[in-house]
Amino acid sequence: MDVQATTPLDPRVNDAMMPYHVNFYGNPHSRTHAYGWEAESAVENARQQVASLIGADPREIIFTSGATESNNISVKGVARFYKSRKKHVITTQTEHKCVLDSCRALEAEGFDVTYLPVKTNGMIDMEQLEAAMRPDTSLVSVMAINNEIGVRQPIEEIGELCRSRKVFFHTDAAQAVGKIPVDVNAMKIDLMSISGHKIYGPKGIGALYLRRRPRVRVEAIQSGGGQERGVRSGTVPAPLVVGLGAACEISQQEMEYDHRRISMLADRLINTVCNAIPHVIRNGDPHHTYPGCVNLSFAYVEGESLLMALKDIALSSGSACTSASLEPSYVLRAIGADEDLAHSSIRFGIGRFTTEEEIDFTAQKCISHVTRLREMSPLWEMIQEGIDLKNIKWSQH
Amino acid sequence: MAARSQVLSLYKQILRESEKFPSYNIKTYALRRTKDAFRANKSVKDAQTISSFMKKGNEDLNLIKRQVSSLLMYVSTEWLLFSRPI
């Protein structure tokens, strides 16, 4: 139930990768013998599979180690390449840490960064985005599907606006590619990050889509042998790339089937939980959302206690990257959730391999533990007595 | 053209083989996906389509066999970290 963190390897993907682990172990950049040619043709085939999923040209796909690296190359790479003329980057407050941290690094180098706030439903305000654009804006980076609350941003509209202003548009689509239809030309996306292990592929592989027309240029972060058109030096890991390609092809074939099923399971979970217990709030816009990511806040319950009580289910209060900290999620704070609700939220991830039994088990466990924890809670008692918690002046010791 | 009995035999073989997946999630997915795919295409009449589906089905059966046998080699009943009760 934590498929936003990672997904299990699909056996079909594993099957495609195995020969490249054991037999065809050549370096795809070796041009002088058959081992190299074999690996190279497999890598090029995978490039085609990835490109076909997003409606791109295979030459626009750069293999990286994952979406974090793709995001770094996009944000830092574009800003640094165009820094002589353009010194401004726009992003949102609900981006993944790697985009926000890349922006912080740019700020330290003297760039201006605008962190757009989001509305209470988690969507960005298009007018605010337009107002934030400046003549020296080089890049807008907005994620397609939020990893914590599942909100889908209006990518097409943002793409349209950026193209008309001649600003490059990067989207972190780690949670979107393979799950919802993405077409880089229809959506006017200039750079896009893709992750392998979010779509039932192997970990340690991802891709960057880099538009050729109009050409987007980036400054490489890693120096080396100039592989992947000089954007990402380092030997391309052929088995992982084959796995990413297979995962993309399977998601393309299974997208409709998976989506139907995931929507059904998400409705089942939300309905069961919300019908059984009051004061459950779904975070993020209920319509512009990806159903496989359900973020619920259970008022008057402490999220970490609930997670402890539900420890036999793999759940998380937010992204895996920040799950070690007890701080409430910055994404939830950005959508204006009260501190107490941000503390009591849980993210339910539903994926290709989730079953009805798991959904029912999770829902029942959740209901019984929330009820139990609320019975222990003095806040809940006060609510039952009709006291408005917001008006209480807590004394400080 | 593949006869009805050949299609049914392939269907049963895939289900029987999928039952052997050691992972609960993968097993239930394989069973569900197989049933849904055969059901969705049960009224297909075109001989060429049927034979291409049969070819794909046989490839998938072999894939499941390979994966089942290799996954069974790495079945672990104990979590490395939580070998003691928590």
Side-chain angles (χ1 to χ4, degrees):
Chain A
M1 298 290 289
D2 198 10
V3 296
Q4 271 74 40
T6 192
T7 52
L9 190 65
D10 192 302
R12 291 168 285 192
V13 174
N14 194 16
D15 198 68
M17 288 167 65
M18 282 306 276
Y20 295 90
H21 275 308
V22 293
N23 258 341
F24 311 116
Y25 50 80
N27 181 330
H29 313 294
S30 299
R31 291 295 173 82
T32 48
H33 50 71
Y35 289 96
W37 303 332
E38 194 74 52
E40 192 197 8
S41 97
V43 166
E44 292 315 313
N45 181 43
R47 206 185 295 282
Q48 172 66 49
Q49 288 169 320
V50 177
S52 144
L53 175 64
I54 58 170
D57 186 292
R59 289 171 297 179
E60 298 173 313
I61 304 295
I62 307 287
F63 289 116
T64 65
S65 67
T68 292
E69 191 183 353
S70 301
N71 285 337
N72 270 272
I73 296 176
S74 305
V75 174
K76 293 179 186 163
V78 168
R80 285 178 187 162
F81 191 89
Y82 296 96
K83 71 178 168 200
S84 55
R85 286 174 292 131
K86 296 179 165 186
K87 301 280 283 178
H88 182 228
V89 172
I90 301 176
T91 185
T92 73
Q93 291 176 355
T94 55
E95 289 302 301
H96 191 267
K97 277 270 181 203
C98 57
V99 171
L100 294 176
D101 253 18
S102 298
C103 288
R104 288 261 180 266
L106 289 177
E107 278 183 306
E109 292 169 24
F111 288 90
D112 272 349
V113 181
T114 304
Y115 300 91
L116 282 183
V118 293
K119 296 186 277 189
T120 49
N121 62 0
M123 312 264 293
I124 64 160
D125 188 340
M126 290 302 291
E127 282 168 17
Q128 269 188 344
L129 173 62
E130 198 166 358
M133 283 186 175
R134 309 194 318 212
D136 67 340
T137 304
S138 58
L139 181 77
V140 170
S141 177
V142 177
M143 78 202 307
I145 291 182
N146 187 275
N147 57 325
E148 292 198 22
I149 53 178
V151 166
R152 278 170 76 161
Q153 299 291 358
I155 293 302
E156 265 171 68
E157 290 170 42
I158 303 172
E160 190 72 51
L161 176 64
C162 291
R163 184 65 55 84
S164 72
R165 294 296 195 87
K166 295 200 165 39
V167 175
F168 291 128
F169 173 38
H170 165 249
T171 182
D172 172 6
Q175 304 282 354
V177 165
K179 296 171 183 169
I180 58 167
V182 174
D183 186 304
V184 288
N185 292 321
M187 297 175 165
K188 300 196 168 51
I189 296 167
D190 296 314
L191 304 102
M192 182 165 76
S193 307
I194 301 170
S195 174
H197 72 115
K198 311 283 190 197
I199 52 169
Y200 315 95
K203 294 161 185 48
I205 187 74
L208 169 65
Y209 163 77
L210 196 59
R211 181 173 286 283
R212 283 166 68 88
R213 278 198 195 96
R215 194 176 189 86
V216 183
R217 313 195 61 155
V218 294
E219 191 183 296
I221 292 179
Q222 197 157 289
S223 319
Q227 289 91 345
E228 298 296 281
R229 299 176 184 275
V231 174
R232 203 277 187 180
S233 289
T235 302
V236 170
L240 299 180
V241 164
V242 168
L244 175 63
C248 284
E249 191 177 279
I250 294 165
S251 344
Q252 196 169 7
Q253 289 161 2
E254 301 287 320
M255 195 181 293
E256 216 189 298
Y257 179 87
D258 282 351
H259 200 274
R260 224 178 14 243
R261 185 173 159 78
I262 289 168
S263 309
M264 185 269 286
L265 292 177
D267 289 343
R268 185 169 174 142
L269 176 73
I270 296 169
N271 291 339
T272 318
V273 172
C274 291
N275 290 340
I277 39 180
H279 302 289
V280 179
I281 295 120
R282 177 160 191 200
N283 294 307
D285 191 281
H287 303 295
H288 292 91
T289 188
Y290 169 65
C293 181
V294 177
N295 194 311
L296 299 177
S297 279
F298 300 92
Y300 320 115
V301 168
E302 221 258 323
E304 307 296 332
S305 344
L306 187 54
L307 283 176
M308 279 303 287
L310 298 172
K311 63 174 181 286
D312 43 357
I313 308 171
L315 289 167
S316 155
S317 57
S319 77
C321 322
T322 48
S323 62
S325 120
L326 288 177
E327 276 281 292
S329 141
Y330 65 90
V331 174
L332 292 177
R333 275 186 300 184
I335 64 170
D338 290 334
E339 189 90 348
D340 55 331
L341 282 179
H343 261 296
S344 65
S345 80
I346 291 193
R347 178 181 70 179
F348 300 88
I350 303 166
R352 183 180 288 164
F353 299 110
T354 311
T355 65
E356 281 93 341
E357 287 80 13
E358 285 175 310
I359 293 286
D360 294 344
F361 179 77
T362 308
Q364 289 315 323
K365 276 262 183 177
C366 237
I367 293 166
S368 68
H369 283 293
V370 167
T371 316
R372 183 179 63 83
L373 288 167
R374 278 181 180 172
E375 272 164 13
M376 296 196 266
S377 157
L379 294 179
W380 178 245
E381 212 167 287
M382 287 155 82
I383 285 292
Q384 298 302 305
E385 289 165 7
I387 301 170
D388 186 0
L389 295 179
K390 296 243 177 334
N391 294 329
I392 297 178
K393 293 264 180 293
W394 304 99
S395 63
Q396 296 204 333
H397 292 289
Chain B
M1 182 184 142
R4 185 185 156 78
S5 60
Q6 282 172 296
V7 177
L8 282 175
S9 151
L10 176 67
Y11 179 61
K12 281 183 191 148
Q13 279 184 76
I14 296 181
L15 291 184
R16 208 176 306 134
E17 205 57 41
S18 301
E19 280 285 354
K20 297 181 193 161
F21 270 118
S23 147
Y24 157 76
N25 293 84
I26 306 252
K27 173 166 63 186
T28 46
Y29 172 77
L31 294 171
R32 180 172 69 239
R33 193 70 192 92
T34 307
K35 289 176 188 164
D36 287 346
F38 274 83
R39 243 175 246 150
N41 295 312
K42 69 175 177 193
S43 48
V44 172
K45 291 279 181 288
D46 179 49
Q48 217 163 11
T49 318
I50 294 179
S51 73
S52 83
F53 280 156
M54 284 297 285
K55 186 164 170 279
K56 175 82 173 59
N58 274 305
E59 281 166 12
D60 284 348
L61 174 62
N62 288 329
L63 185 155
I64 295 170
K65 282 183 178 165
R66 285 195 298 273
Q67 285 299 306
V68 162
S69 56
S70 64
L71 289 172
L72 278 171
M73 283 184 249
Y74 297 95
V75 175
S76 157
T77 49
E78 261 182 37
W79 287 76
L80 300 175
L81 199 57
F82 299 128
S83 42
R84 62 191 163 77
I86 40 169

